[in-house]
Structures are given as C-alpha cells and as structure tokens.
Amino acid sequence: MLMDGTRDFSIDAMQCRWQHLPGTARARDIAIHWLRVVAGDAAADSLHRDARNRPRLLHGDTSWSHSHARLLVAYTPRGRVGVDIESRVRRTDPLRIARRYFAPEETAALAALDEALRHDAFLRLWCAKEAVLKAHGGGIAFGLHKPVFDVGGEGLRMLRCDPALGQVGDWSLHMLEPEAGFVAVLASTD
C-alpha cells in the first residue's frame, strides 16, 4: 500500500495514521492527540508504559514508530498491534547485522539475493521482526531471531516463531510503503 502525506487509514480493525513530524514535535504527543480522536479521551488518558517500556492502554492497544521526521501510529480495539518504519536512506551492512541477530536461514536468503535487492529485503525483514516484537511486548531485546520470516517473496510470511510469541497463524502482517523512501510493517493479533 503506497501513501503520501498525512493520512488516516484502516486495516482490518486497526485505525492508523501516517504523518510528518512537524519541527520539534514529539511522536508520543502526536500519538496521544490522535488516540483521543480515534479511541476517545479515556483511552488516551489511560496510556502508560509497562515494565518493558511498551505503551499500554486499559482498553485496546497502540503502537507507534518514527524515523526521519515521519510517524506511523496504530490503534486496535482488540488484540495486540506493533508497527515499525524504516527509511531507505538508512544505510547498513545487512549481512553483518543478519549474521549477528537473525535466524541462519534468513541470513542465507539475504546473502543469496542480488545486492541491489538485499537492502530493501533487509529493511522489510527488520520492520517485520520489530513490529511483531513490539506487539508481543518484549521488543528487540526478546530476540530478533525468534520470529522467522520467508525473505524471498514480495510479501511477508512468518515461517515459525518462539512459543512465547504464540502460533504463526496468530499473526497478521501488513507491509506498507507509506511514502517514497520508507518501508513499514504492521503486525497484529486478535
């Protein structure tokens, strides 16, 4: 899904917002303001951080990610949601990072890709992993190798995951291209 500019959209039961972060605005402040609109004052007022620093609501769930003055926020009235965005400008050595943090088959699949495709595949994979781990609540400290994805296809498909993440079939993954130069993934459970 390709989007440009600030916009609200829905995916399944999730309400989402993509927008530029103006000036010195804080992502959290914008997320709370938006939550007031889509979930009501009571939900926004209940926002707090748990022991792992994950944002929590008394009813429903939320997640946000920001990169290069862009923000993606998601809210769902049921289940869990996690989001991550990355800028394509971010230059890394995908294989060095994959060898250290990803499952061996993901690293091998990235290595087998043409170098021109490897960077984008790595960013999509990183976003998928981080979105799932944010929704779970453990964040990347839980282990980037614990959700394992098929790297070869255009879409996202989880192959297996640590039992603490639930079952593969519990997860819905949505790959977005919020605007030129960015990739994003929303991960959710019901």
Side-chain angles (χ1 to χ4, degrees), residues 15-160:
Q15 297 296 313
C16 307
R17 168 163 278 196
W18 170 258
Q19 79 171 68
H20 295 234
L21 284 173
T24 60
R26 290 181 14 172
R28 182 184 187 280
D29 294 339
I30 291 174
I32 290 172
H33 176 76
W34 179 79
L35 281 168
R36 287 189 189 293
V37 173
V38 298
D41 288 340
D45 290 342
S46 77
L47 182 68
H48 64 282
R49 297 279 183 167
D50 67 13
R52 294 181 183 160
N53 205 31
R54 184 189 191 283
R56 296 280 188 199
L57 301 172
L58 290 179
H59 303 288
D61 195 34
T62 190
S63 179
W64 62 82
S65 179
H66 55 92
S67 176
H68 289 81
R70 304 303 190 281
L71 171 68
L72 176 62
V73 187
Y75 165 77
T76 184
R78 63 178 190 272
R80 304 291 288 274
V81 64
V83 300
D84 191 51
I85 63 172
E86 294 292 338
S87 168
R88 287 189 170 104
V89 172
R90 177 183 176 194
R91 287 293 164 189
T92 60
D93 180 348
L95 293 180
R96 181 181 60 79
I97 294 171
R99 282 185 199 105
R100 182 165 181 187
Y101 297 107
F102 293 178
E105 61 265 46
E106 292 169 328
T107 303
L110 284 171
L113 290 175
D114 181 81
E115 193 170 340
L117 302 174
R118 187 177 301 138
H119 181 70
D120 243 34
F122 169 79
L123 290 177
R124 283 193 315 271
L125 181 57
W126 180 275
C127 284
K129 288 174 171 291
E130 191 160 351
V132 166
L133 295 173
K134 282 181 174 181
H136 165 258
I140 60 175
F142 181 73
L144 287 166
H145 64 287
K146 292 184 177 180
V148 179
F149 295 90
D150 177 9
V151 178
E154 283 293 312
L156 293 169
R157 188 169 61 93
M158 186 184 287
L159 298 174
R160 68 178 187 280

